[in-house]
Short mmCIF file of all heavy atoms in Angstrom, two decimals:
data_model
loop_
_atom_site.label_atom_id
_atom_site.label_comp_id
_atom_site.label_asym_id
_atom_site.label_seq_id
_atom_site.Cartn_x
_atom_site.Cartn_y
_atom_site.Cartn_z
N MET A 1 79.73 99.47 114.27
CA MET A 1 80.33 100.20 113.15
C MET A 1 81.37 101.19 113.68
O MET A 1 81.26 101.68 114.80
CB MET A 1 79.27 100.97 112.36
CG MET A 1 78.19 100.11 111.73
SD MET A 1 78.76 99.09 110.36
CE MET A 1 78.90 100.32 109.04
N LYS A 2 82.34 101.45 112.83
CA LYS A 2 83.36 102.44 113.17
C LYS A 2 83.34 103.54 112.11
O LYS A 2 82.98 103.29 110.95
CB LYS A 2 84.74 101.81 113.20
CG LYS A 2 84.93 100.79 114.30
CD LYS A 2 85.09 101.49 115.63
CE LYS A 2 85.36 100.46 116.74
NZ LYS A 2 85.38 101.12 118.06
N ALA A 3 83.73 104.74 112.50
CA ALA A 3 83.80 105.85 111.57
C ALA A 3 85.13 106.57 111.73
O ALA A 3 85.74 106.56 112.81
CB ALA A 3 82.65 106.82 111.82
N PHE A 4 85.58 107.15 110.63
CA PHE A 4 86.84 107.89 110.65
C PHE A 4 86.74 109.06 109.70
O PHE A 4 86.17 108.94 108.61
CB PHE A 4 87.99 106.97 110.22
CG PHE A 4 89.28 107.70 109.99
CD1 PHE A 4 90.00 108.22 111.06
CD2 PHE A 4 89.77 107.89 108.71
CE1 PHE A 4 91.18 108.91 110.85
CE2 PHE A 4 90.96 108.58 108.49
CZ PHE A 4 91.67 109.09 109.56
N ARG A 5 87.24 110.20 110.13
CA ARG A 5 87.25 111.39 109.29
C ARG A 5 88.69 111.67 108.89
O ARG A 5 89.55 111.90 109.74
CB ARG A 5 86.67 112.58 110.07
CG ARG A 5 86.46 113.82 109.23
CD ARG A 5 85.90 114.96 110.05
NE ARG A 5 84.57 114.66 110.59
CZ ARG A 5 84.26 114.68 111.89
NH1 ARG A 5 85.15 114.99 112.79
NH2 ARG A 5 83.04 114.40 112.28
N CYS A 6 88.95 111.65 107.58
CA CYS A 6 90.31 111.83 107.10
C CYS A 6 90.89 113.17 107.58
O CYS A 6 92.06 113.28 107.89
CB CYS A 6 90.35 111.74 105.58
SG CYS A 6 92.00 111.74 104.88
N GLY A 7 90.03 114.19 107.67
CA GLY A 7 90.48 115.51 108.08
C GLY A 7 91.08 115.55 109.48
O GLY A 7 91.78 116.50 109.84
N ASP A 8 90.81 114.52 110.30
CA ASP A 8 91.42 114.48 111.62
C ASP A 8 92.92 114.21 111.52
O ASP A 8 93.68 114.45 112.45
CB ASP A 8 90.77 113.38 112.48
CG ASP A 8 89.35 113.78 112.91
OD1 ASP A 8 89.02 114.98 112.84
OD2 ASP A 8 88.58 112.88 113.29
N VAL A 9 93.34 113.65 110.39
CA VAL A 9 94.76 113.32 110.19
C VAL A 9 95.36 114.18 109.07
O VAL A 9 96.50 114.62 109.16
CB VAL A 9 94.92 111.82 109.86
CG1 VAL A 9 96.37 111.49 109.53
CG2 VAL A 9 94.43 110.97 111.03
N VAL A 10 94.58 114.39 108.02
CA VAL A 10 95.04 115.20 106.89
C VAL A 10 94.19 116.48 106.85
O VAL A 10 93.06 116.45 106.37
CB VAL A 10 94.89 114.44 105.55
CG1 VAL A 10 95.42 115.29 104.40
CG2 VAL A 10 95.62 113.10 105.61
N PRO A 11 94.70 117.57 107.38
CA PRO A 11 93.92 118.81 107.43
C PRO A 11 93.40 119.21 106.05
O PRO A 11 94.12 119.15 105.06
CB PRO A 11 94.92 119.84 107.95
CG PRO A 11 95.94 119.05 108.71
CD PRO A 11 96.04 117.74 107.96
N GLY A 12 92.12 119.58 106.01
CA GLY A 12 91.55 120.05 104.76
C GLY A 12 90.80 118.98 103.99
O GLY A 12 90.05 119.30 103.08
N CYS A 13 90.98 117.71 104.34
CA CYS A 13 90.26 116.65 103.64
C CYS A 13 88.93 116.40 104.35
O CYS A 13 88.89 116.27 105.56
CB CYS A 13 91.07 115.35 103.60
SG CYS A 13 90.26 114.07 102.62
N SER A 14 87.84 116.36 103.59
CA SER A 14 86.52 116.22 104.20
C SER A 14 85.96 114.82 104.06
O SER A 14 84.81 114.57 104.39
CB SER A 14 85.55 117.22 103.57
OG SER A 14 85.46 117.00 102.18
N ARG A 15 86.77 113.89 103.55
CA ARG A 15 86.29 112.53 103.32
C ARG A 15 86.03 111.82 104.65
O ARG A 15 86.83 111.90 105.56
CB ARG A 15 87.35 111.76 102.52
CG ARG A 15 86.98 110.35 102.19
CD ARG A 15 85.88 110.26 101.15
NE ARG A 15 85.43 108.88 101.02
CZ ARG A 15 86.01 107.98 100.21
NH1 ARG A 15 87.01 108.33 99.45
NH2 ARG A 15 85.57 106.75 100.14
N GLU A 16 84.90 111.12 104.73
CA GLU A 16 84.59 110.34 105.92
C GLU A 16 84.41 108.88 105.54
O GLU A 16 83.99 108.56 104.42
CB GLU A 16 83.32 110.86 106.59
CG GLU A 16 83.48 112.29 107.09
CD GLU A 16 82.51 112.61 108.23
OE1 GLU A 16 82.24 111.72 109.04
OE2 GLU A 16 82.03 113.75 108.27
N PHE A 17 84.76 108.00 106.44
CA PHE A 17 84.68 106.57 106.19
C PHE A 17 83.81 105.90 107.24
O PHE A 17 83.83 106.29 108.41
CB PHE A 17 86.08 105.94 106.25
CG PHE A 17 87.04 106.54 105.25
CD1 PHE A 17 87.80 107.63 105.61
CD2 PHE A 17 87.14 106.03 103.97
CE1 PHE A 17 88.67 108.21 104.69
CE2 PHE A 17 88.00 106.60 103.05
CZ PHE A 17 88.78 107.69 103.41
N LEU A 18 83.08 104.89 106.80
CA LEU A 18 82.26 104.10 107.70
C LEU A 18 82.58 102.64 107.42
O LEU A 18 82.60 102.22 106.26
CB LEU A 18 80.78 104.39 107.42
CG LEU A 18 79.75 103.99 108.47
CD1 LEU A 18 80.02 104.71 109.79
CD2 LEU A 18 78.35 104.31 107.98
N GLY A 19 82.86 101.89 108.46
CA GLY A 19 83.21 100.49 108.25
C GLY A 19 82.73 99.61 109.38
O GLY A 19 82.33 100.10 110.44
N THR A 20 82.77 98.30 109.13
CA THR A 20 82.28 97.38 110.15
C THR A 20 83.25 97.28 111.32
O THR A 20 82.84 97.05 112.45
CB THR A 20 82.07 95.98 109.55
OG1 THR A 20 83.28 95.58 108.88
CG2 THR A 20 80.94 95.99 108.54
N ASP A 21 84.52 97.43 111.05
CA ASP A 21 85.51 97.35 112.12
C ASP A 21 86.80 98.06 111.69
O ASP A 21 86.86 98.64 110.60
CB ASP A 21 85.80 95.89 112.50
CG ASP A 21 86.28 95.07 111.31
OD1 ASP A 21 86.72 95.66 110.30
OD2 ASP A 21 86.20 93.84 111.38
N ARG A 22 87.79 98.01 112.55
CA ARG A 22 89.07 98.68 112.30
C ARG A 22 89.67 98.28 110.96
O ARG A 22 90.13 99.14 110.19
CB ARG A 22 90.02 98.32 113.45
CG ARG A 22 91.47 98.62 113.21
CD ARG A 22 92.31 97.82 114.20
NE ARG A 22 93.73 98.01 113.98
CZ ARG A 22 94.44 97.36 113.05
NH1 ARG A 22 93.84 96.49 112.24
NH2 ARG A 22 95.73 97.59 112.92
N ASP A 23 89.68 96.98 110.66
CA ASP A 23 90.32 96.52 109.42
C ASP A 23 89.59 97.04 108.19
O ASP A 23 90.20 97.37 107.18
CB ASP A 23 90.36 94.99 109.39
CG ASP A 23 91.39 94.42 110.37
OD1 ASP A 23 92.22 95.21 110.87
OD2 ASP A 23 91.35 93.21 110.62
N ASP A 24 88.26 97.10 108.28
CA ASP A 24 87.46 97.60 107.17
C ASP A 24 87.78 99.07 106.90
O ASP A 24 87.98 99.49 105.75
CB ASP A 24 85.97 97.41 107.50
CG ASP A 24 85.07 97.67 106.28
OD1 ASP A 24 85.58 97.60 105.14
OD2 ASP A 24 83.87 97.93 106.48
N ILE A 25 87.84 99.84 107.96
CA ILE A 25 88.18 101.27 107.82
C ILE A 25 89.60 101.41 107.25
O ILE A 25 89.82 102.18 106.31
CB ILE A 25 88.12 101.97 109.19
CG1 ILE A 25 86.69 101.96 109.74
CG2 ILE A 25 88.68 103.39 109.09
CD1 ILE A 25 85.85 103.15 109.38
N LEU A 26 90.53 100.67 107.80
CA LEU A 26 91.93 100.81 107.37
C LEU A 26 92.09 100.51 105.89
O LEU A 26 92.82 101.20 105.18
CB LEU A 26 92.84 99.90 108.20
CG LEU A 26 93.37 100.51 109.50
CD1 LEU A 26 94.23 99.49 110.25
CD2 LEU A 26 94.17 101.78 109.25
N ALA A 27 91.40 99.47 105.41
CA ALA A 27 91.49 99.12 103.99
C ALA A 27 91.02 100.29 103.12
O ALA A 27 91.62 100.60 102.09
CB ALA A 27 90.67 97.87 103.70
N GLN A 28 89.93 100.94 103.55
CA GLN A 28 89.42 102.08 102.79
C GLN A 28 90.38 103.27 102.85
O GLN A 28 90.60 103.98 101.86
CB GLN A 28 88.06 102.52 103.34
CG GLN A 28 86.98 101.46 103.25
CD GLN A 28 85.67 101.94 103.87
OE1 GLN A 28 85.15 102.98 103.50
NE2 GLN A 28 85.16 101.20 104.84
N VAL A 29 90.96 103.48 104.04
CA VAL A 29 91.85 104.63 104.22
C VAL A 29 93.15 104.43 103.44
O VAL A 29 93.68 105.38 102.87
CB VAL A 29 92.13 104.86 105.72
CG1 VAL A 29 93.17 105.96 105.91
CG2 VAL A 29 90.84 105.25 106.44
N VAL A 30 93.64 103.19 103.40
CA VAL A 30 94.85 102.91 102.62
C VAL A 30 94.62 103.25 101.15
O VAL A 30 95.44 103.92 100.51
CB VAL A 30 95.27 101.43 102.78
CG1 VAL A 30 96.28 101.03 101.71
CG2 VAL A 30 95.87 101.19 104.17
N ALA A 31 93.48 102.81 100.61
CA ALA A 31 93.17 103.09 99.20
C ALA A 31 92.98 104.59 98.97
O ALA A 31 93.45 105.14 97.97
CB ALA A 31 91.90 102.33 98.80
N HIS A 32 92.32 105.26 99.90
CA HIS A 32 92.09 106.70 99.79
C HIS A 32 93.42 107.46 99.89
O HIS A 32 93.65 108.41 99.13
CB HIS A 32 91.13 107.14 100.90
CG HIS A 32 90.99 108.62 101.04
ND1 HIS A 32 90.28 109.39 100.15
CD2 HIS A 32 91.48 109.49 101.98
CE1 HIS A 32 90.34 110.67 100.55
NE2 HIS A 32 91.06 110.75 101.64
N GLY A 33 94.27 107.05 100.80
CA GLY A 33 95.57 107.72 100.95
C GLY A 33 96.40 107.63 99.69
O GLY A 33 97.00 108.61 99.25
N ARG A 34 96.39 106.45 99.05
CA ARG A 34 97.13 106.27 97.81
C ARG A 34 96.52 107.12 96.69
O ARG A 34 97.23 107.80 95.96
CB ARG A 34 97.09 104.80 97.39
CG ARG A 34 98.06 103.94 98.15
CD ARG A 34 98.12 102.54 97.53
NE ARG A 34 98.88 101.65 98.40
CZ ARG A 34 98.47 100.45 98.77
NH1 ARG A 34 97.32 99.98 98.33
NH2 ARG A 34 99.21 99.70 99.55
N GLY A 35 95.19 107.04 96.57
CA GLY A 35 94.53 107.67 95.44
C GLY A 35 94.46 109.18 95.56
O GLY A 35 94.63 109.89 94.57
N GLU A 36 94.18 109.68 96.76
CA GLU A 36 93.91 111.11 96.92
C GLU A 36 95.11 111.88 97.46
O GLU A 36 95.27 113.07 97.18
CB GLU A 36 92.72 111.31 97.87
CG GLU A 36 91.43 110.71 97.37
CD GLU A 36 90.90 111.40 96.11
OE1 GLU A 36 91.05 112.61 96.00
OE2 GLU A 36 90.37 110.68 95.24
N HIS A 37 95.91 111.25 98.29
CA HIS A 37 96.98 111.99 98.96
C HIS A 37 98.37 111.53 98.56
O HIS A 37 99.37 112.09 98.99
CB HIS A 37 96.83 111.88 100.48
CG HIS A 37 95.51 112.39 100.99
ND1 HIS A 37 95.08 113.68 100.79
CD2 HIS A 37 94.52 111.78 101.69
CE1 HIS A 37 93.88 113.83 101.35
NE2 HIS A 37 93.51 112.69 101.89
N ARG A 38 98.43 110.48 97.74
CA ARG A 38 99.72 109.95 97.30
C ARG A 38 100.62 109.60 98.49
O ARG A 38 101.81 109.89 98.49
CB ARG A 38 100.45 110.96 96.41
CG ARG A 38 99.65 111.37 95.19
CD ARG A 38 99.76 110.35 94.07
NE ARG A 38 98.99 110.75 92.90
CZ ARG A 38 97.94 110.08 92.44
NH1 ARG A 38 97.54 108.97 93.04
NH2 ARG A 38 97.30 110.46 91.38
N ILE A 39 100.00 109.04 99.53
CA ILE A 39 100.80 108.61 100.68
C ILE A 39 100.50 107.14 100.97
O ILE A 39 99.41 106.65 100.71
CB ILE A 39 100.49 109.44 101.95
CG1 ILE A 39 99.00 109.48 102.26
CG2 ILE A 39 101.05 110.85 101.80
CD1 ILE A 39 98.65 110.14 103.57
N GLU A 40 101.52 106.46 101.47
CA GLU A 40 101.36 105.10 101.95
C GLU A 40 101.25 105.15 103.47
O GLU A 40 102.02 105.86 104.13
CB GLU A 40 102.56 104.24 101.56
CG GLU A 40 102.69 103.99 100.07
CD GLU A 40 101.63 103.02 99.54
OE1 GLU A 40 101.17 102.15 100.31
OE2 GLU A 40 101.25 103.16 98.37
N LEU A 41 100.29 104.43 104.02
CA LEU A 41 100.14 104.43 105.47
C LEU A 41 101.25 103.61 106.11
O LEU A 41 101.35 102.40 105.88
CB LEU A 41 98.77 103.86 105.87
CG LEU A 41 97.68 104.92 106.06
CD1 LEU A 41 97.31 105.53 104.73
CD2 LEU A 41 96.47 104.34 106.75
N ASP A 42 102.09 104.28 106.90
CA ASP A 42 103.10 103.55 107.65
C ASP A 42 102.56 103.30 109.07
O ASP A 42 101.41 103.62 109.36
CB ASP A 42 104.42 104.31 107.68
CG ASP A 42 104.28 105.70 108.28
OD1 ASP A 42 103.24 105.98 108.94
OD2 ASP A 42 105.20 106.52 108.09
N GLU A 43 103.38 102.73 109.93
CA GLU A 43 102.90 102.39 111.27
C GLU A 43 102.38 103.60 112.03
O GLU A 43 101.38 103.55 112.73
CB GLU A 43 104.02 101.73 112.08
CG GLU A 43 104.19 100.26 111.78
CD GLU A 43 105.25 99.62 112.67
OE1 GLU A 43 105.45 100.10 113.79
OE2 GLU A 43 105.89 98.65 112.22
N GLY A 44 103.07 104.73 111.85
CA GLY A 44 102.67 105.93 112.57
C GLY A 44 101.30 106.43 112.11
O GLY A 44 100.48 106.84 112.94
N LEU A 45 101.07 106.37 110.81
CA LEU A 45 99.77 106.83 110.29
C LEU A 45 98.65 105.88 110.69
O LEU A 45 97.55 106.31 111.01
CB LEU A 45 99.84 106.99 108.77
CG LEU A 45 100.51 108.28 108.28
CD1 LEU A 45 100.72 108.24 106.76
CD2 LEU A 45 99.66 109.49 108.63
N VAL A 46 98.95 104.59 110.66
CA VAL A 46 97.93 103.62 111.09
C VAL A 46 97.55 103.88 112.54
O VAL A 46 96.37 103.86 112.91
CB VAL A 46 98.45 102.17 110.91
CG1 VAL A 46 97.53 101.18 111.63
CG2 VAL A 46 98.54 101.81 109.43
N ALA A 47 98.54 104.18 113.38
CA ALA A 47 98.27 104.48 114.79
C ALA A 47 97.41 105.73 114.91
O ALA A 47 96.51 105.81 115.76
CB ALA A 47 99.57 104.64 115.56
N LEU A 48 97.68 106.73 114.06
CA LEU A 48 96.89 107.97 114.08
C LEU A 48 95.44 107.70 113.68
O LEU A 48 94.50 108.22 114.29
CB LEU A 48 97.49 108.98 113.11
CG LEU A 48 98.43 110.04 113.68
CD1 LEU A 48 98.92 110.95 112.56
CD2 LEU A 48 97.73 110.87 114.76
N VAL A 49 95.27 106.87 112.65
CA VAL A 49 93.91 106.52 112.23
C VAL A 49 93.18 105.81 113.37
O VAL A 49 92.04 106.15 113.71
CB VAL A 49 93.94 105.62 110.98
CG1 VAL A 49 92.55 105.08 110.67
CG2 VAL A 49 94.46 106.41 109.77
N GLU A 50 93.87 104.84 113.99
CA GLU A 50 93.24 104.10 115.09
C GLU A 50 92.86 105.03 116.24
O GLU A 50 91.82 104.88 116.86
CB GLU A 50 94.18 103.00 115.58
CG GLU A 50 94.31 101.87 114.59
CD GLU A 50 95.29 100.80 115.06
OE1 GLU A 50 96.28 101.16 115.73
OE2 GLU A 50 95.06 99.63 114.75
N ALA A 51 93.72 106.00 116.50
CA ALA A 51 93.46 106.93 117.61
C ALA A 51 92.25 107.81 117.33
O ALA A 51 91.62 108.31 118.26
CB ALA A 51 94.68 107.79 117.87
N ASN A 52 91.93 107.99 116.05
CA ASN A 52 90.82 108.87 115.68
C ASN A 52 89.57 108.12 115.25
O ASN A 52 88.60 108.73 114.78
CB ASN A 52 91.26 109.81 114.55
CG ASN A 52 92.18 110.92 115.06
OD1 ASN A 52 91.73 111.86 115.69
ND2 ASN A 52 93.47 110.78 114.82
N LEU A 53 89.56 106.78 115.40
CA LEU A 53 88.36 106.01 115.09
C LEU A 53 87.26 106.37 116.09
O LEU A 53 87.52 106.56 117.27
CB LEU A 53 88.63 104.50 115.19
CG LEU A 53 89.40 103.87 114.04
CD1 LEU A 53 89.55 102.37 114.32
CD2 LEU A 53 88.69 104.08 112.73
N ARG A 54 86.05 106.50 115.59
CA ARG A 54 84.90 106.78 116.45
C ARG A 54 83.90 105.65 116.32
O ARG A 54 83.82 104.99 115.28
CB ARG A 54 84.25 108.10 116.06
CG ARG A 54 85.09 109.32 116.38
CD ARG A 54 84.50 110.57 115.76
NE ARG A 54 84.60 110.54 114.31
CZ ARG A 54 83.58 110.66 113.47
NH1 ARG A 54 82.37 110.82 113.93
NH2 ARG A 54 83.76 110.63 112.18
N ASP A 55 83.12 105.43 117.36
CA ASP A 55 82.04 104.45 117.27
C ASP A 55 80.88 105.08 116.52
O ASP A 55 80.53 106.23 116.75
CB ASP A 55 81.59 104.03 118.67
CG ASP A 55 82.61 103.13 119.33
OD1 ASP A 55 83.13 102.23 118.64
OD2 ASP A 55 82.90 103.32 120.53
N ALA A 56 80.32 104.32 115.59
CA ALA A 56 79.18 104.80 114.83
C ALA A 56 78.04 103.81 115.02
O ALA A 56 78.26 102.61 115.19
CB ALA A 56 79.54 104.91 113.34
N PRO A 57 76.80 104.29 115.02
CA PRO A 57 75.66 103.39 115.20
C PRO A 57 75.50 102.43 114.03
O PRO A 57 75.78 102.79 112.89
CB PRO A 57 74.46 104.35 115.31
CG PRO A 57 74.93 105.62 114.68
CD PRO A 57 76.40 105.69 114.86
N ASP A 58 75.08 101.21 114.33
CA ASP A 58 74.80 100.26 113.26
C ASP A 58 73.63 100.74 112.42
O ASP A 58 72.69 101.35 112.94
CB ASP A 58 74.47 98.88 113.86
CG ASP A 58 75.71 98.21 114.41
OD1 ASP A 58 76.80 98.43 113.86
OD2 ASP A 58 75.60 97.47 115.41
N PRO A 59 73.67 100.50 111.12
CA PRO A 59 72.65 101.05 110.23
C PRO A 59 71.32 100.30 110.26
O PRO A 59 70.45 100.58 109.50
CB PRO A 59 73.30 100.94 108.84
CG PRO A 59 74.24 99.81 108.98
CD PRO A 59 74.72 99.82 110.41
N GLY A 60 71.17 99.35 111.10
CA GLY A 60 69.89 98.65 111.17
C GLY A 60 69.74 97.67 110.04
O GLY A 60 70.53 97.65 109.10
N PRO A 61 68.71 96.80 110.10
CA PRO A 61 68.53 95.73 109.11
C PRO A 61 68.09 96.24 107.75
O PRO A 61 67.52 97.30 107.65
CB PRO A 61 67.43 94.84 109.71
CG PRO A 61 66.68 95.74 110.62
CD PRO A 61 67.68 96.79 111.12
ZN1 ZN B 1 91.73 112.31 102.72
#
């Protein structure tokens, strides 16, 4: 699993994301960016998200 904290890129945002992989996280972040921040993720932002991805433990069966 991967985890990402929006506040690492957008100061003040406390939203956290958990996903199975990079693409899963990115899909959630794209939707969140549009809905909450009115921004479209460009290449630079995608790179920032990737740089701040953390490994998260699998949730078990
Ligand atoms: Zn956010």
Side-chain angles (χ1 to χ4, degrees):
M1 299 290 285
K2 294 285 183 186
F4 171 71
R5 188 180 297 122
C6 188
D8 288 342
V9 175
V10 182
C13 185
S14 59
R15 181 71 189 273
E16 297 204 36
F17 301 90
L18 197 60
T20 52
D21 57 19
R22 165 198 177 278
D23 287 347
D24 190 21
I25 296 269
L26 272 178
Q28 298 178 55
V29 174
V30 164
H32 170 75
R34 281 189 190 132
E36 298 294 324
H37 301 302
R38 303 278 180 244
I39 53 173
E40 293 288 331
L41 266 70
D42 58 15
E43 279 183 29
L45 280 171
V46 168
L48 263 180
V49 171
E50 289 178 326
N52 285 285
L53 283 181
R54 291 170 291 124
D55 287 317
D58 287 328

